[in-house]
């Protein structure tokens, strides 16, 4: 197992190297450069050119890439041009927000999607089944930003039940340990902050969960349907096993493998793809930062963030792969 | 049996979820509950801003959102009257310049204390100016010291690649008197002394940061500029926390402020980058005010009881005619025809927020030097069509660049403005080739003269006409592509005229010459909209967007 993990992590190196080449050269193909947003509207062409020069953007691109790699060797992604802070600091201050939001969305999707998919399959053709199928179709079709805006209008503006933005109310004081507000406040016993952080997670979490929820529901349903038709289920039932045992140990457990794969892939995409939800709810995670960095041609920030996300994506998928062994004893890692 | 178990499980789960929800809602409620006391003392005033500040040392930036924060913390030698454009005393209660405009003497206020307890005197002011003048290495990059270089020139020792001429000569202190000597007179003085970028910090802070240098040339700010509590100013608020993750800056009232104390105890600037999200946060009560409201949101907000006070205009949007790229534009008749073709009143009436107005020249009427006698070009499509035909350019195809990914205070809803102008120009016989671009492409394209027509503008830094006209017309440039020595000479002369009244008279003359020559068409001046909750007593709103947050408070119930 240990060798397997090390091997998988070592595979990251060529993947990251390839990604860095692609990103580095693609980014430079974008028209414009950071000098246009770093200086005021009245800056002259000469002043903008001088800034390009001082940022080293006029060096041959191979030289720039070489310098980038040299820094990367020390795990230094350089400094964000828009904030003037190290890219790594920007990432570590923003990542907990995105991760917390992704976890909330995934929890909603898993806790609702798996039971819903399971019961829809069990009661195939029932009202529950058709509602689940129609609902999941709707979940995939409704654009996230639209759903987010609607949830905000109804539950924050009209009903006033939930906050419309942020991770906590502005000015709320708490003790920060990891940057994960829910976890930190539980660790320090500041339970009013825990409640507030959870309250702030509900609407963005719901909005962001729409697609994973739909996918998980449909996959669970399809997978359970397939397993229900398998010989071993019939055998288990005919030899008189308790229905609960059949359903949990034989059906659900076997049906979970494709669902787990989907969860792994969806979690990865949630980490990178929460841009709209983060913007609508002013959540301040990495998605909105990458968007702003792209607008401003903040090369170091875009490169650093995307590479760090790639690392996290690989690690999440590795964990998912490892979790297969819990569900299917036939899967053994080597 | 299974069924009943599932039902039981489901019920337990439901109760659990409902419980968790109730706890969280109660938590939110308790956090919002501000008790019965004076709200100004117990509740933070939260203001939504489009971007986070970049640095707490204002010398290093040109960014308006940084200045919105630092202006509350650090005072400048001069200031603008609250809600107005006139220059008034800041840390200096009195000031004068020598007749030749080379020596500026400031009499500082007595009894001004920095947030770290130090007293303000002339030495403290000079320590700041000397520090800026002696910047070395990467500090001399334009992205760190753009305004210093534009207003006070180069440095004591310029680095090899810096060719900005030195304008600052010396700063001499004598008790509470400060004399600043410059190499040549400039229309930028005294306005430059009111710029937030030249906020004064305490000598103690300067000693503390002496060794904290910018070590790399890739735009990293020194650590001290990112932490609350290192730099001490003399403003009505002191910074207590900057949460980079939440993009939230918290300021606390400074009780020993030399002027009237701030009305609210705690002021928070909270970043909400999306325009709609800012409006929704105000409507939901999560913030108490925000700036740069979309023009389309102003009326609905007002109808729902929110306050949207109107600022005086202090910016200009113009349509540039690039004469080198399109040689046909070198013909004055063609430029005049285009000016007559555009229905600017329609743009003001249908797109701009209340308070917007058609511009008759390249500066708003609020600025000294605005002239009543400029040539005006009324909307007259028939005349325009005739002139286009006379000039023989009927059917001429021209590139019209516009920006797609951003708006500016002087240019809200860019696409709508572009569409009105395009259809007006096509109406009179020109053929428009639209060139949509992101800001990042747009600026290099307009800077290098690649666009025949384009929309740009400017918001003044301070009440000085040269700050508008000099930005565009003091030299030949690729942005405009024309040579007109009369205009260039006139503006150079204005820059060297120290007397403000004399300068205003010359600016009026320059406006008249420019509008006869018509290098572009001034379109409009437009006040950026600022919004407040119904239960707020707003401060006087400023045409320069330099609101004094010490004057904002919650209304008494």
């Amino acid at each position: 197992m240990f060798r397997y993990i090390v091997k998988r992590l070592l595979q990251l190196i060529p993947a990251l190297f390839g990604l860095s080449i692609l990103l580095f050269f693609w980014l430079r193909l974008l028209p414009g450069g950071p000098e246009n947003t770093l200086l005021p509207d009245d800056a002259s062409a000469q002043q903008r050119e001088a800034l390009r020069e001082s940022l080293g953007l006029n060096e041959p691109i191979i030289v720039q890439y070489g310098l980038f790699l040299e820094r990367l060797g020390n795990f230094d992604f350089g400094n964000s041009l828009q904030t003037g802070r190290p890219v790594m600091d920007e990432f570590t201050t923003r990542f907990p927000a995105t991760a917390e939001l992704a976890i909330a969305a995934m929890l909603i999707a898993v806790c609702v999607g798996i039971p819903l998919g399971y019961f829809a399959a069990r009661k195939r053709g029932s009202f529950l089944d058709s509602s689940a199928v129609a609902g999941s179709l709707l979940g995939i079709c409704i654009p996230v930003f639209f759903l987010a805006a609607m949830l905000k209008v109804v539950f924050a503006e009209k009903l006033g039940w939930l906050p419309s933005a942020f991770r906590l109310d502005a000015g709320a004081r708490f003790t920060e340990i990891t940057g994960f507000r829910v976890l930190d406040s539980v660790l320090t016993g500041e339970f009013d902050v825990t409640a507030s952080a959870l309250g702030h997670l509900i609407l963005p979490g719901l909005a962001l969960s729409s697609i994973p929820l739909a996918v998980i529901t449909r996959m669970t349903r399809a997978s359970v349907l397939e397993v229900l038709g398998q010989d071993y289920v019939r055998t288990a039932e005919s030899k008189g096993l308790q229905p609960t045992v059949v359903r949990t140990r034989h059906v659900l457990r076997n049906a979970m493998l494709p669902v787990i794969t989907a969860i792994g892939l969806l979690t990865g995409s949630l980490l990178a793809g929460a841009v709209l939800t983060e913007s609508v709810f002013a959540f301040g995670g990495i998605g909105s930062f990458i968007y702003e960095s792209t607008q401003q041609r903040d090369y170091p920030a875009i490169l650093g963030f995307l590479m760090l996300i790639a690392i996290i994506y690989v690690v999440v998928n590795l964990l998912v792969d490892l979790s297969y062994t819990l569900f299917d004893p036939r899967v053994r890692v080597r | 049996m299974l069924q009943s178990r599932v039902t039981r499980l489901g019920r337990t789960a439901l109760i659990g979820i409902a419980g968790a929800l109730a706890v969280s809602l109660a938590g939110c409620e308790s956090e919002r509950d501000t008790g019965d006391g004076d709200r100004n003392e117990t509740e933070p005033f939260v203001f939504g801003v489009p971007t986070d500040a970049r640095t707490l040392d204002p010398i290093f930036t040109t960014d308006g959102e940084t200045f919105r924060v630092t202006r509350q913390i650090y005072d400048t030698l001069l200031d603008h009257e609250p809600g107005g454009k006139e220059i008034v005393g800041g840390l200096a209660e009195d000031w004068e310049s020598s007749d030749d405009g080379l020596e500026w003497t400031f009499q500082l206020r007595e009894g001004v204390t920095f947030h770290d307890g130090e007293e303000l005197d002339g030495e403290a002011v000079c320590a700041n100016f000397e520090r800026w003048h002696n910047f070395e290495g990467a500090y001399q990059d334009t992205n760190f010291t753009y305004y210093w270089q534009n207003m006070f020139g180069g440095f004591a020792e310029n680095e090899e690649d810096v060719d900005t001429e030195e304008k600052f000569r010396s700063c001499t202190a004598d008790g509470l008197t400060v004399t600043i000597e410059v190499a040549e007179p400039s229309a930028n003085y005294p306005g430059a002394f009111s710029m937030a970028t030249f906020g004064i910090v305490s000598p103690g802070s300067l000693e503390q940061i002496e060794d904290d240098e910018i070590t790399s040339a890739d735009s990293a700010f020194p650590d001290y500029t990112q932490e609350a509590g290192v730099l001490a100013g003399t403003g009505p608020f002191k910074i207590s926390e900057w949460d980079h993750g939440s993009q939230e800056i918290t300021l606390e009232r400074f009780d020993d402020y030399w002027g009237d104390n701030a009305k609210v105890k705690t002021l928070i600037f909270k970043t909400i980058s999306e325009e709609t999200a800012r409006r929704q946060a105000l409507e939901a009560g999560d913030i108490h005010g925000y700036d740069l409201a979309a023009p389309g949101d102003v009326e609905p907000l007002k109808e729902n009881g929110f306050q949207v006070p109107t600022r005086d205009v202090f910016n200009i949007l113009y349509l540039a005619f690039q004469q080198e790229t399109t040689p046909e534009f070198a013909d004055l008749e063609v430029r005049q025809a285009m000016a007559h073709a555009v229905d600017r009143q329609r743009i003001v009436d249908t797109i701009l927020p209340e308070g917007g107005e058609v511009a008759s020249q390249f500066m708003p009427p609020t600025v000294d030097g605005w002239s009543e006698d400029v040539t005006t070009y009324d909307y007259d499509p028939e005349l325009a069509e005739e002139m286009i035909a006379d000039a023989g350019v009927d059917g001429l195809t021209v590139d019209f660049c516009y920006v797609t990914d951003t708006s500016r205070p002087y240019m809200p809803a860019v696409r709508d403005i572009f569409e009105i102008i395009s259809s007006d120009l096509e109406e009179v016989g020109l053929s428009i080739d639209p060139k949509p671009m992101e800001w990042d492409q747009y600026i290099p394209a307009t800077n290098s003269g690649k666009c025949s027509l384009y929309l740009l503008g400017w918001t003044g830094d301070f009440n000085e006409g040269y700050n508008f006209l000099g930005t565009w017309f003091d030299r030949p440039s690729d942005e405009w592509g024309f040579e007109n020595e009369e205009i260039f000479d006139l503006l150079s002369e204005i820059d060297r005229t120290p007397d403000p009244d004399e300068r205003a008279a010359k600016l009026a003359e320059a406006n008249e010459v420019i509008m006869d020559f018509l290098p572009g068409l001034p379109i409009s001046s437009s006040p950026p909209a600022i919004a407040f909750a119904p239960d707020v007593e707003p401060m006087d709103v400023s045409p320069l967007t330099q609101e004094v947050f010490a004057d904002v408070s919650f209304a008494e119930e």
Side-chain angles (χ1 to χ4, degrees):
Chain A
M1 168 94 84
F2 179 72
R3 281 186 61 191
Y4 173 77
I5 295 174
V6 172
K7 196 173 133 199
R8 282 285 297 268
L9 290 177
L10 283 177
Q11 281 171 358
L12 249 177
I13 296 172
L16 284 179
F17 185 67
L19 184 71
S20 77
I21 294 178
L22 275 181
L23 286 175
F24 198 90
F25 291 94
W26 273 348
L27 278 177
R28 300 308 156 95
L29 288 180
L30 288 175
E35 70 278 6
N36 302 312
T37 45
L38 285 175
L39 293 180
D41 296 5
D42 72 331
S44 66
Q46 289 82 347
Q47 284 169 320
R48 292 180 198 279
E49 189 50 35
L51 179 55
R52 275 190 77 80
E53 187 69 37
S54 70
L55 291 176
L57 296 171
N58 288 344
E59 297 286 331
I61 192 151
I62 295 291
V63 175
Q64 292 183 46
Y65 182 68
L67 288 171
F68 167 74
L69 277 189
E70 195 183 319
R71 289 186 123 183
L72 196 64
N74 301 321
F75 223 61
D76 175 5
F77 292 97
N79 301 303
S80 159
L81 300 176
Q82 51 174 330
T83 66
R85 299 176 69 224
V87 170
M88 201 62 187
D89 285 5
E90 291 296 351
F91 190 84
T92 48
T93 49
R94 286 176 165 77
F95 181 70
T98 300
E100 212 166 52
L101 182 56
I103 292 168
M106 197 39 87
L107 273 179
I108 295 173
V110 167
C111 294
V112 179
I114 292 180
L116 195 61
Y118 175 76
F119 287 112
R122 285 271 320 282
K123 313 266 179 199
R124 192 178 181 186
S126 68
F127 176 71
L128 175 74
D129 184 26
S130 17
S131 310
V133 171
S136 61
L137 200 67
L138 211 64
I140 289 178
C141 293
I142 293 184
V144 174
F145 73 89
F146 178 77
L147 179 64
M150 284 300 108
L151 286 170
K152 252 173 98 162
V153 168
V154 176
F155 294 102
E157 286 176 44
K158 300 291 175 208
L159 297 173
W161 288 358
L162 291 163
S164 74
F166 318 140
R167 295 177 70 193
L168 284 178
D169 283 353
R173 292 282 162 265
F174 62 96
T175 317
E176 186 154 327
I177 304 170
T178 61
F180 289 80
R181 300 279 154 85
V182 178
L183 178 67
D184 288 355
S185 55
V186 168
L187 289 175
T188 56
E190 294 161 295
F191 295 115
D192 53 336
V193 176
T194 316
S196 176
L198 284 171
H200 282 78
L201 271 171
I202 293 174
L203 291 184
L206 276 175
L208 192 62
S209 72
S210 65
I211 291 176
L213 172 60
V215 172
I216 290 172
T217 307
R218 288 187 79 108
M219 285 205 72
T220 310
R221 179 182 173 276
S223 186
V224 169
L225 276 178
E226 196 189 323
V227 174
L228 280 174
Q230 295 290 327
D231 290 345
Y232 59 81
V233 175
R234 203 166 43 244
T235 311
E237 279 171 346
S238 58
K239 74 177 178 187
L241 275 183
Q242 282 212 351
T244 329
V245 177
V246 177
R247 281 161 194 167
T248 49
R249 201 177 294 168
H250 293 266
V251 178
L252 206 50
R253 191 167 169 184
N254 281 301
M256 276 303 99
L257 277 185
V259 180
I260 289 166
T261 311
I263 291 175
L265 293 171
L266 287 166
T267 308
S269 64
L270 284 187
L271 288 175
V275 181
L276 291 171
T277 316
E278 285 179 11
S279 297
V280 171
F281 290 98
F283 214 74
I286 56 177
S288 43
F289 191 75
I290 293 173
Y291 176 72
E292 282 156 27
S293 303
T294 313
Q295 296 286 94
Q296 305 202 10
R297 305 290 187 268
D298 187 349
Y299 301 135
I302 307 172
L303 264 171
F305 270 55
L306 293 184
M307 294 191 67
L308 287 164
I309 288 173
I311 295 172
I312 289 166
Y313 193 87
V314 170
V315 171
V316 168
N317 278 287
L318 174 62
L319 291 175
V320 169
D321 287 354
L322 292 175
S323 73
Y324 285 170
T325 54
L326 298 176
F327 288 86
D328 188 347
R330 288 170 304 176
V331 179
R332 285 284 172 264
V333 290
R334 286 190 199 106
Chain B
M1 188 177 148
L2 176 69
Q3 203 132 23
S4 67
R5 223 159 126 190
V6 168
T7 321
R8 256 205 320 273
L9 267 174
R11 203 177 296 148
T12 318
L14 269 176
I15 292 169
I17 291 168
L21 264 174
V23 170
S24 29
L25 292 176
C28 300
E29 210 51 52
S30 70
E31 222 174 309
R32 287 155 185 225
D33 182 11
T34 53
D36 298 326
D38 178 1
R39 286 179 74 194
N40 292 321
E41 297 301 316
T42 55
E43 187 176 348
F45 182 88
V46 186
F47 193 79
V49 291
T51 56
D52 206 1
R54 302 186 71 216
T55 160
L56 293 178
D57 192 345
I59 191 64
F60 291 134
T61 192
T62 56
D63 160 53
E65 291 309 329
T66 299
F67 294 150
R68 195 196 298 277
V69 176
T70 62
R71 199 173 275 118
Q72 321 306 323
I73 307 170
Y74 315 108
D75 289 315
T76 40
L77 282 175
L78 302 180
D79 204 344
H80 289 97
E81 56 177 344
K85 61 186 174 54
E86 294 307 325
I87 290 181
V88 296
L91 288 176
E93 54 186 351
D94 209 2
W95 70 97
E96 59 178 14
S97 79
S98 58
D99 290 344
D100 56 8
L102 298 180
E103 259 189 27
W104 289 85
T105 306
F106 300 89
Q107 190 59 44
L108 302 180
R109 288 175 199 279
E110 273 184 55
V112 176
T113 315
F114 285 99
H115 300 158
D116 59 6
E118 283 192 78
E119 293 288 319
L120 172 83
D121 60 11
E123 297 285 349
V125 172
C126 283
N128 281 269
F129 274 86
E130 291 300 344
R131 172 183 175 237
W132 302 326
H133 184 224
N134 284 288
F135 276 151
E136 293 174 355
Y139 280 122
Q140 294 191 6
D141 286 352
T142 41
N143 58 326
F144 286 119
T145 43
Y146 177 82
Y147 275 136
W148 172 266
Q149 294 188 48
N150 268 20
M151 299 296 155
F152 294 104
F155 302 90
E157 276 181 44
N158 277 359
E159 297 292 339
E160 236 172 72
D161 51 350
V162 177
D163 54 8
T164 320
E165 270 180 53
E166 205 178 345
K167 291 182 197 157
F168 173 86
R169 278 280 155 80
S170 66
C171 181
T172 321
D174 179 10
L176 289 175
T177 307
V178 174
T179 305
I180 291 172
E181 201 187 331
V182 291
E184 53 191 54
S186 167
N188 287 326
Y189 312 132
F193 298 107
S194 72
M195 293 178 78
T197 195
F198 303 120
I200 303 295
V201 305
S202 78
S205 314
L206 294 182
E207 271 169 37
Q208 220 178 317
I209 61 174
E210 217 166 23
D211 301 327
D212 201 351
E213 287 182 356
I214 297 171
T215 50
S216 63
D218 55 0
S219 264
F221 288 119
D223 289 345
Y224 75 85
T225 67
Q226 306 295 306
E227 294 161 17
V230 182
L231 294 182
T234 54
F237 288 98
K238 50 186 178 182
I239 180 160
S240 66
E241 193 178 346
W242 185 358
D243 182 340
H244 292 273
S246 303
Q247 296 182 291
E248 185 176 304
I249 296 181
T250 307
L251 309 182
E252 295 291 336
R253 179 166 56 211
F254 175 49
D255 290 322
D256 293 328
Y257 181 54
W258 56 268
D260 291 337
N261 275 357
K263 291 177 181 167
V264 291
K265 184 166 182 286
T266 308
L267 167 66
I268 292 176
F269 291 103
K270 179 87 190 171
T271 301
I272 310 176
S273 47
E274 225 235 329
E275 197 174 84
T276 316
R278 288 200 293 279
R279 194 201 71 224
Q280 289 175 326
L282 180 74
E283 288 172 333
D286 292 322
I287 59 173
H288 304 109
Y290 74 97
D291 204 353
L292 304 185
D297 287 340
V298 171
E299 278 314 309
L301 278 171
K302 281 184 176 172
E303 280 164 20
N304 288 315
F306 292 91
Q307 307 175 71
V308 191
T310 306
R311 287 165 162 147
D312 285 341
V313 291
F314 206 71
N315 58 30
I316 278 289
L317 166 68
Y318 60 82
L319 171 69
F321 306 144
Q322 220 293 354
Q323 299 185 27
E324 209 173 345
T325 310
T326 313
E328 290 84 353
F329 289 175
D331 181 350
L332 179 61
E333 194 176 10
V334 176
R335 301 201 297 277
Q336 287 174 336
M338 290 193 285
H340 282 298
V342 179
D343 188 355
R344 292 176 286 172
Q345 192 62 51
R346 188 169 149 220
I347 294 173
V348 169
D349 292 344
T350 58
I351 299 173
L352 301 188
E354 193 180 311
E357 49 192 71
V358 170
S360 63
Q361 50 209 287
F362 283 86
M363 65 168 70
T366 39
V367 177
D368 296 339
W370 185 85
S371 168
E372 282 183 4
D373 302 321
V374 294
T375 308
T376 53
Y377 302 88
D378 295 334
Y379 175 54
D380 189 343
E382 280 105 43
L383 175 63
E385 199 172 354
E386 227 170 82
M387 291 169 88
I388 290 282
D390 270 0
V393 293
D394 199 1
L396 175 74
T397 303
V398 287
D399 293 343
F400 188 168
C401 305
Y402 67 97
V403 65
T404 53
D405 63 334
T406 187
S407 63
R408 286 287 191 269
Y410 52 78
M411 186 166 63
V414 194
R415 203 193 151 80
D416 297 342
I417 297 175
F418 161 81
E419 278 173 0
I420 288 184
I421 296 176
S422 287
S423 71
D424 283 348
L425 292 176
E426 291 201 318
E427 195 74 21
V428 301
L430 293 179
S431 172
I432 298 298
D433 188 2
K435 299 279 177 201
M437 295 177 184
E438 285 183 20
W439 184 257
D440 226 32
Q441 291 171 275
Y442 190 68
I443 288 296
T446 56
N447 264 348
S448 56
K450 289 196 178 112
C451 303
S452 301
L453 297 171
Y454 61 88
L455 291 163
L456 257 183
W458 181 243
T459 300
D461 293 311
F462 39 80
N463 181 18
E464 170 53 54
Y466 183 78
N467 189 249
F468 283 86
L469 299 187
T471 302
W472 307 298
F473 305 127
D474 66 345
R475 65 204 178 276
S477 72
D478 291 337
E479 285 101 309
W480 300 91
F482 70 82
E483 293 278 346
N484 185 322
E485 293 306 326
E486 186 189 2
I487 294 177
F488 301 152
D489 291 347
L490 197 49
L491 282 162
S492 302
E493 198 185 319
I494 290 168
D495 191 26
R496 292 193 307 273
T497 305
D499 181 66
D501 295 333
E502 206 181 317
R503 204 161 59 231
K506 286 182 179 167
L507 280 164
E509 187 192 338
N511 272 319
E512 289 152 27
V513 174
I514 290 168
M515 285 313 291
D516 284 341
F517 181 67
L518 205 64
L521 178 66
I523 304 281
S524 55
S525 295
S526 149
I530 183 168
F532 295 96
D535 57 353
V536 166
E537 295 270 6
M539 71 293 266
D540 290 331
V541 292
S542 155
L544 296 146
T545 64
Q546 296 180 1
E547 280 73 28
V548 180
F549 280 82
D551 292 341
V552 79
S553 61
F554 293 107
E556 280 176 30
E557 283 167 24

